[in-house]
Amino acid sequence: MISSLLFAMFVILMAIGVPVGVALGGAGTVAIALANPDTHWFGLMAVSQSFYAGLAKYPLLAIPMFVLVGSIFDRSGVAARLVRLAQSITGNGPGMLAVVAITVAMFLGGISGSGPACAAAVGAIMIGAMNRAGYPRAYSASVVAAGAATDILIPPSIAMIVYSILVPQASVPALFAAGMVPGILAGIGLIIPAVWLARRHNMGAEARKEPRPPFWRSLYQAVWGLSAPVIILGGMRMGYFTPTEAAVVAVFYGLFIGIFVHRTMSWRDLFPILREAGELSAVIMLIVTLAGIFAWSLSTLSIIDPLTNAIVHSGLGPYGVLTLLILLLIVAGMFLDGISIFLIFVPLIQPVAMAFHWDLVWLGVVLTLMVAVGQFTPPVAVNLMVSCKIAQVPMESTVRWVVWMVGGMMGSLVLVVLFPQLALWLPHYLGY
């Protein structure tokens, strides 16, 4: 009875517009209090302890740092120089600006790990350029939003850090390594329909009139940005710093580039950057801690074990169950952000995965791929919100283009599901 009330209250709170974190924490608190009618105050004390325990975790320190990195590189001029380098390689043929947008977004994923931050950085440069070249605004917004979704797959990834908090058996370095190849596959899965659509609808005719940037000059200007993922990921691999420390190194490296190298930032810019990153980080951390109360209530009320047994003995088998989970997360991704999806569903999915002997690192990559799809799938798509605001188009106008991008990334998901070694061979090779 109380377990049904827990989920019913959560759904009702979400339906009336209560923020996800408050809905999770509120439903969990009420359920815990009702489960101990004679000791309400003791239950509420446990809630406060669970709140603190959900926040006091060392890997969570990386989240505000990587959020700050995204804001810094957004203003440092790195994205603009990477765009010119990519254009010098691809040229200005049909669909090539779409390839540039997706490729640069993938590369920025190796710096910030935040999809909305990448959508803002790439969109501010590429959407205007694509519009001038004759690409429809809705198409440009769709390409940028989809390309930015690869950021949570290509390390470093804020979503994977959250997953490692929920699933301690999957370490952050192993998840980062496992996301590399699927992230590249997802990018290729987006490039194929983007180029096909551009050529089919004869987009980008004006781009052919633009001169091709010189390669060596563009490479020289982009070398500081190209070095960022090498320093961040290489330093972690060599053991010079942990993922959390790598986020701090990335912050100072970005400040050095923006203030002293490119000189696109000043010390006065630091306050709005810190304020923006602080606000976003506070929202993420609050959702994480309130979701910890919800997860603790699931454990306290003994809901997970009966639910796991029912799923495992449903007769669907591992692939049938996995298919249902993917369909469920597709629907959830249309309405919830990625971190909320992890916090709600991972405590329920992990026991099922252990019962079927699924690799938890591989499962993290599969779930992250689903979250990536949700970041540009209407009606609630954080990346698409950002790119549509920059392009000044309504989100519904992007559906005819987004559906092809979703299909491309789903193809990458199918490959990772059918061939788990696509995700696991690199962490195994690196010894994680």
Side-chain angles (χ1 to χ4, degrees), residues 16 61 63 87 157 166 205 252 263 265 274 290 313 315 401 419:
I16 63 177
L61 289 174
I63 292 179
Q87 283 183 290
S157 166
L166 301 172
F252 282 95
R263 298 185 180 181
M265 296 170 52
L274 291 170
L290 290 174
H313 297 97
W401 310 114
F419 306 102

Side-chain angles (χ1 to χ4, degrees), residues 45-63:
M45 288 178 62
V47 167
S48 62
Q49 293 173 353
S50 176
F51 183 93
Y52 175 77
L55 185 62
K57 295 177 180 178
Y58 177 71
L60 285 178
L61 289 174
I63 292 179

Side-chain angles (χ1 to χ4, degrees), residues 294-310:
F294 186 82
W296 193 79
S297 67
L298 291 177
S299 175
T300 302
L301 299 174
S302 301
I303 296 174
I304 293 180
D305 289 343
L307 186 60
T308 300
N309 291 331

Side-chain angles (χ1 to χ4, degrees), residues 89-245:
I89 297 172
T90 63
N92 296 319
M96 290 300 101
L97 282 184
V99 175
V100 169
I102 295 171
T103 304
V104 172
M106 291 170 62
F107 190 86
L108 288 179
I111 300 175
S112 70
S114 171
C118 177
V122 177
I125 301 166
M126 290 304 305
I127 289 178
M130 293 176 73
N131 293 343
R132 289 190 298 270
Y135 292 85
R137 289 180 177 270
Y139 171 84
S140 304
S142 303
V143 168
V144 169
T150 61
D151 276 31
I152 65 170
L153 283 163
I154 298 174
S157 166
I158 293 175
M160 287 183 175
I161 293 173
V162 173
Y163 180 83
S164 72
I165 298 296
L166 301 172
V167 184
Q169 299 93 325
S171 68
V172 173
L175 288 166
F176 280 4
M180 182 66 75
V181 173
I184 295 173
L185 287 176
I188 295 172
L190 295 174
I191 287 173
I192 293 173
V195 174
W196 177 75
L197 287 170
R199 294 187 175 183
R200 180 183 180 187
H201 296 276
N202 194 28
M203 300 177 189
E206 296 298 321
R208 302 173 192 176
K209 303 177 183 178
E210 296 290 331
R212 188 170 184 168
F215 172 74
W216 292 110
R217 183 179 179 183
S218 301
L219 178 62
Y220 174 76
Q221 294 175 340
V223 68
W224 287 98
L226 293 173
S227 302
V230 177
I231 294 173
I232 297 170
L233 302 178
M236 285 191 290
R237 174 58 191 148
M238 298 298 292
Y240 295 141
F241 34 74
T242 65
T244 302
E245 294 166 345

Side-chain angles (χ1 to χ4, degrees), residues 76 81 221 224 253 255-264:
S76 64
R81 288 163 173 80
Q221 294 175 340
W224 287 98
Y253 183 74
L255 289 174
F256 176 75
I257 293 175
I259 296 175
F260 298 106
V261 179
H262 295 161
R263 298 185 180 181
T264 52

